[in-house]
């Protein structure tokens, strides 16, 4: 599924809900179906930490084994590659999508403030209380819609200002609201465009390194059921979801 938004107007320029006859569930519209977000929510977590002045892009976060007591047992987050990097900057932690630093960041910001930030960013599917999601919210343990996700990234592209997308030409503009300050939105966009900070996980040369300025983030859900890639240039925001709408996991794939 793919959705393309014009940053300035909010117009939906492309909406592809599925691969049609190639899909085992072709009647499901992937632009508005709720799927697990994976790491695609991390930019908003680090944006909140910046806004709260708990972190800067250069702050060091410990990427080492972590075990936390949760209501249903012990919560042990792991990185995608099952490795640890030691002390890393917040810039590297976000760009390289390290999981353990994200959980440590959520411990700094609080789950309730993070959930409030996501709701301000237009994630309409997040209707439960903060304790329902718990610390897994840092790693995208919640269902979101591709349209909401792409439009939230569009808010980053628009200097932290959120506005609903326009599904049809000529629709009147909706009330805008601020998710982040222009300064915070700039820093998050700068991190997501940083090839060097992304290199520890993705390498320097990959499909995320475009010939023009762009900021991009991937996400992979549990059991590889959902792959996300969302990014923006100065003009457009594009969101892509890949997976099986019949719920079957994929194999040997990632958000890249």
């Amino acid at each position: 599924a793919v959705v393309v938004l014009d940053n300035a107007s909010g117009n939906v320029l492309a909406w592809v809900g599925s691969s049609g006859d190639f899909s085992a569930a072709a009647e499901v519209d992937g632009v508005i179906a709720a799927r697990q977000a994976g790491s695609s929510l991390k930019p908003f977590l680090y944006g909140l930490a910046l806004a709260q002045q708990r972190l800067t892009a250069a702050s060091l976060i410990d990427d080492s084994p972590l075990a936390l007591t949760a209501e249903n047992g012990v919560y042990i987050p792991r990185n995608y590659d099952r490795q640890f990097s030691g002390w890393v900057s917040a810039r590297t932690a976000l760009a390289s999508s390290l999981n353990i630093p994200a959980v440590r960041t959520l411990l700094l910001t609080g789950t309730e403030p993070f959930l409030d930030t996501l709701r301000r960013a237009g994630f309409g599917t997040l209707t439960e209380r903060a304790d329902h999601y718990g610390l897994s919210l840092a790693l995208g343990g919640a269902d979101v819609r591709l349209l909401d996700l792409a439009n939230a990234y569009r808010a980053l592209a628009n200097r932290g200002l959120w506005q609903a997308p326009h599904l049809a030409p000529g629709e009147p503009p909706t009330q805008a609201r601020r998710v982040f300050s222009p300064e915070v939105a700039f820093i998050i966009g700068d991190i997501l465009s940083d090839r060097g900070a992304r290199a520890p996980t993705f390498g320097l040369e990959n499909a995320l390194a475009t010939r023009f300025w762009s900021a991009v983030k991937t996400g992979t859900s549990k059991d590889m059921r959902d792959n996300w890639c969302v990014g923006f240039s100065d003009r457009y925001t594009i969101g892509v979801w890949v997976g099986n709408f019949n719920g079957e996991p994929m194999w040997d794939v990632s958000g890249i």
Side-chain angles (χ1 to χ4, degrees), residues 120-243:
R120 284 205 315 277
F123 289 96
T125 53
L126 304 183
T127 58
E128 303 291 341
R129 293 174 44 173
D131 56 6
H132 171 82
Y133 302 106
L135 295 174
S136 68
L137 191 60
L139 309 183
D143 291 344
V144 302
R145 292 183 288 246
L146 179 61
L147 181 62
D148 293 346
L149 184 63
N151 197 53
Y153 275 73
R154 174 178 161 246
L156 295 174
N158 286 338
R159 298 169 60 84
L161 202 61
W162 181 92
Q163 199 167 20
H166 291 165
L167 305 183
E171 284 185 338
T174 58
Q175 182 68 37
R177 62 175 177 262
R178 183 156 295 285
V179 180
F180 294 126
S181 69
E183 294 81 5
V184 167
F186 174 87
I187 292 171
I188 295 299
D190 186 67
I191 292 173
L192 296 182
S193 68
D194 190 332
R195 283 201 313 161
R198 192 188 300 142
T201 294
F202 298 99
L204 285 172
E205 296 300 330
N206 55 67
L208 306 181
T210 57
R211 291 173 294 172
F212 50 88
W213 186 91
S214 63
V216 62
K217 184 73 186 71
T218 63
T220 304
S221 72
K222 185 178 180 181
D223 296 330
M224 296 185 179
R225 283 185 166 84
D226 308 278
N227 280 173
W228 308 84
C229 189
V230 189
F232 55 90
S233 65
D234 291 334
R235 186 169 181 185
Y236 303 112
T237 297
I238 301 178
V240 180
W241 175 90
V242 175

Side-chain angles (χ1 to χ4, degrees), residues 6 11-12 14 21 30 56 60 62 73 103 114 176-178 187-188 210 218-219 233 256:
D6 181 271
N11 289 339
V12 176
D21 292 340
T56 72
L60 295 181
D62 187 12
V103 174
F114 181 38
R177 62 175 177 262
R178 183 156 295 285
I187 292 171
I188 295 299
T210 57
T218 63
S233 65
I256 195 169

Side-chain angles (χ1 to χ4, degrees), residues 71-156:
E71 288 187 2
N72 56 351
V74 179
Y75 179 56
I76 305 176
R78 292 183 173 90
N79 290 322
Y80 185 78
D81 60 3
R82 304 292 177 131
Q83 302 297 315
F84 306 100
S85 301
W87 291 97
V88 295
S89 68
R91 174 178 291 272
T92 297
L94 173 54
S96 290
S97 200
L98 301 177
N99 287 340
I100 295 171
V103 174
R104 293 187 189 275
T105 299
L106 184 59
L107 292 172
L108 290 176
T109 65
T111 305
E112 188 75 50
F114 181 38
L115 183 58
D116 289 342
T117 297
L118 292 174
R119 287 170 175 164
R120 284 205 315 277
F123 289 96
T125 53
L126 304 183
T127 58
E128 303 291 341
R129 293 174 44 173
D131 56 6
H132 171 82
Y133 302 106
L135 295 174
S136 68
L137 191 60
L139 309 183
D143 291 344
V144 302
R145 292 183 288 246
L146 179 61
L147 181 62
D148 293 346
L149 184 63
N151 197 53
Y153 275 73
R154 174 178 161 246
L156 295 174

